[in-house]
């Protein structure tokens, strides 16, 4: 028995959902629900992460006698009554479906980028007796808000960085490594770091969040989704004492004589480190080294610090003017700013650099808390709502429309997602869509995964326009 048992699907829901099987209209035979981002921070939403939920929790025989017994006992203790648990309903799934979920999921392909307020996936029961199951599973389905939101936020940063590279750099080759994931330690859990780290890797190749690589390998068949470089942390510098900072820097360069390496340089005095250590005492070591030394400030006001570090390194090593007319440091020295980085700060830094005629090619970013953690379900207002019910063999449109919050209005009826060059993506409601043009793909039915997406195709599907071939 694992310490906390989360392997009973019947218990991976909200308590009140135990009691919902008794609350639908008599003769209900189908509940059809959908997931959308109702609005929020990013106009464009990257759909990603449903495959992780399906493969991790929903495949095959997920209902067993042991799990039913455990849930029954749990319910009695949790509600203090014996009429709150749908024992017959779960027993039916075990008997009639061999424990496989009689559910059908249709979803937009993973990696699709589309405006908010569009249907992203629909869920319906495939057995009329299991109408109560569609929304029992909501709790797990809605957790897809996290990979969606991390991937969307990460992509929004990619678009900004790409735009500045387009304006100030000779090419875009460095883009995949311009935003490095520093977020493992600041994530809520190893699992969250895995999901969030994987979601960032949909857009970039640079990461220190190994859990994200492991998760992409297990659930999206990608053997090595991200890469990193030898890099210092404060302990590997400060253990040399303040008087030994130059020796620590020199050691880094001698221990890793080739390739790109990074050295955090703000332990004591970032200005002295740039001007006198990297810029004078180690200047020739860097010039002769077969690779790039990335100076890492890690404190102070980011736009000011980056600007001053660039200035000091430029004074020490010289700069060239690239084809776009912007200053670039020699190839053996660069900067990474990994402190205080989020979408807004990237814009501030790159705008300041551009105004000072620095190419964005000189710089990369690291982001932790903002990349994996400074988000919630409300960031993109992700919600799962019933839009159609079949009662006594009649299909009826269902919706909510709170008088005091129009933003919470939900879609009605059977939904299709359609695309036209004129209108882009559109969600057609009330079953008025053209089924042959529906972009929602059946991905799961009755315990089976019907469609599997590879990480490579997801990456190319959500590539930003500037990069699309
Ligand atoms: O500072 C950090 O916080 C926590 C995560 C890793 C990390 C830095 N790593 C790194 C990688 C590549 C280039 C430079 C730094």
């Amino acid at each position: 028995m694992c310490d906390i048992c989360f392997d009973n699907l019947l218990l991976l829901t909200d308590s009140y959902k135990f009691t919902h099987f008794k609350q639908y209209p008599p003769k209900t035979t189908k509940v059809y629900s959908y997931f959308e981002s109702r609005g929020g921070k990013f106009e464009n939403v990257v759909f990603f992460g449903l495959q992780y939920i399906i493969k991790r929790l929903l495949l095959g025989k997920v209902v067993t006698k042991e799990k039913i017994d455990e849930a029954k006992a749990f319910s009695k203790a949790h509600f203090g009554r014996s009429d709150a648990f749908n024992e017959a309903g779960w027993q039916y799934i075990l008997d009639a479906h061999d424990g496989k979920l009689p559910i059908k999921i249709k979803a937009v392909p993973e990696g699709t980028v589309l405006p908010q307020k569009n249907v992203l996936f629909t869920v319906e029961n495939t057995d009329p007796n299991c109408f109560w199951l569609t929304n029992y599973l909501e709790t797990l389905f809605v957790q897809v808000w996290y990979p969606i939101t991390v991937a969307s936020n990460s992509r929004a940063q990619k678009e900004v960085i790409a735009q500045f590279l387009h304006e100030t750099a000779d090419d875009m080759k460095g883009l995949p490594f311009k935003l490095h994931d520093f977020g493992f330690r600041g994530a809520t859990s190893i699992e969250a770091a895995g999901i969030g780290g994987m979601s960032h890797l949909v857009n970039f190749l640079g990461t220190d969040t190994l859990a994200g690589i492991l998760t992409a390998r297990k659930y999206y068949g990608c053997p090595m989704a991200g890469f990193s470089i030898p890099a210092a942390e404060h302990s590997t510098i400060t253990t040399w004492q303040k008087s030994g900072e130059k020796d620590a820097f020199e050691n880094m360069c001698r221990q890793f004589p080739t390739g790109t390496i990074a050295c955090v340089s703000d332990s004591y005095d970032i200005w002295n480190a740039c001007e006198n250590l990297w810029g004078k005492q180690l200047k020739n070591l860097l010039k002769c080294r077969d690779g790039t030394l990335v100076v890492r400030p890690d404190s102070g006001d980011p736009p000011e610090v980056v600007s001053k570090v660039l200035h000091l390194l430029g004074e020490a090593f010289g700069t060239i003017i690239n084809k776009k007319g912007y200053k670039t440091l020699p190839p053996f020295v660069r900067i990474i700013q990994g402190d205080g980085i989020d979408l807004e700060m990237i814009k501030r830094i790159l705008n300041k650099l551009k105004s000072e005629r620095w190419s964005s090619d000189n710089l990369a970013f690291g982001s932790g808390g903002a990349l994996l953690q400074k988000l919630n379900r409300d960031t993109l207002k992700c919600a799962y709502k019933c839009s159609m019910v079949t009662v006594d063999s009649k299909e009826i449109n269902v919706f909510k429309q709170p008088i005091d919050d129009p933003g919470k209005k939900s879609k009605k009826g059977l939904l299709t997602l359609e695309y036209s060059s004129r209108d882009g993506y559109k969600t057609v409601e009330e079953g008025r869509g053209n089924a042959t043009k529906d972009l929602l793909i059946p991905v799961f039915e009755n315990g089976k995964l019907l469609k599997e997406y590879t990480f490579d195709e997801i990456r190319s599907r959500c590539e930003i326009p500037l990069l699309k071939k």
Side-chain angles (χ1 to χ4, degrees), residues 86-238:
N86 188 6
E87 179 177 7
W90 287 109
Q91 190 60 44
Y92 174 81
I93 290 174
L94 183 57
D95 299 339
H97 297 277
D98 195 18
K100 286 172 273 186
L101 298 175
I103 284 287
K104 178 177 184 180
I105 306 171
K106 297 173 73 174
V108 68
E110 298 226 355
T112 301
V113 181
L114 68 173
Q116 29 184 254
K117 298 188 182 57
N118 276 295
V119 58
L120 297 175
F121 61 89
T122 64
V123 181
E124 60 199 283
N125 55 294
T126 56
D127 180 320
N129 297 304
C130 304
F131 58 86
W132 54 272
L133 187 58
T134 303
N135 275 36
Y136 194 100
L137 298 170
E138 170 186 7
T139 314
L140 291 177
F141 285 133
V142 173
Q143 290 202 327
V144 79
W145 77 262
Y146 181 58
I148 285 175
T149 308
V150 172
S152 302
N153 175 46
S154 165
R155 187 173 185 275
Q157 293 172 97
K158 184 176 185 177
E159 286 184 316
V160 169
I161 298 168
Q163 186 53 38
F164 277 95
L165 286 175
H166 184 64
E167 292 166 7
T168 71
D170 285 349
D171 60 54
M172 312 278 269
K173 289 196 196 96
L175 181 57
F177 290 95
K178 286 293 186 186
L179 181 59
H180 203 94
D181 181 350
F182 283 10
F184 199 160
R185 66 190 61 177
T188 311
S189 62
I190 294 168
E191 182 185 4
I195 299 166
M198 171 177 67
S199 304
H200 171 64
L201 289 170
V202 164
N203 302 300
F204 287 94
L205 294 177
T207 187
D208 268 28
T209 302
L210 299 181
I213 293 170
L214 296 173
T215 308
R217 175 182 293 174
K218 182 174 173 67
Y219 292 97
Y220 286 85
C222 181
M224 186 48 66
F227 306 91
S228 191
I229 59 173
E233 68 170 33
H234 287 101
S235 79
T236 66
I237 304 298
T238 55

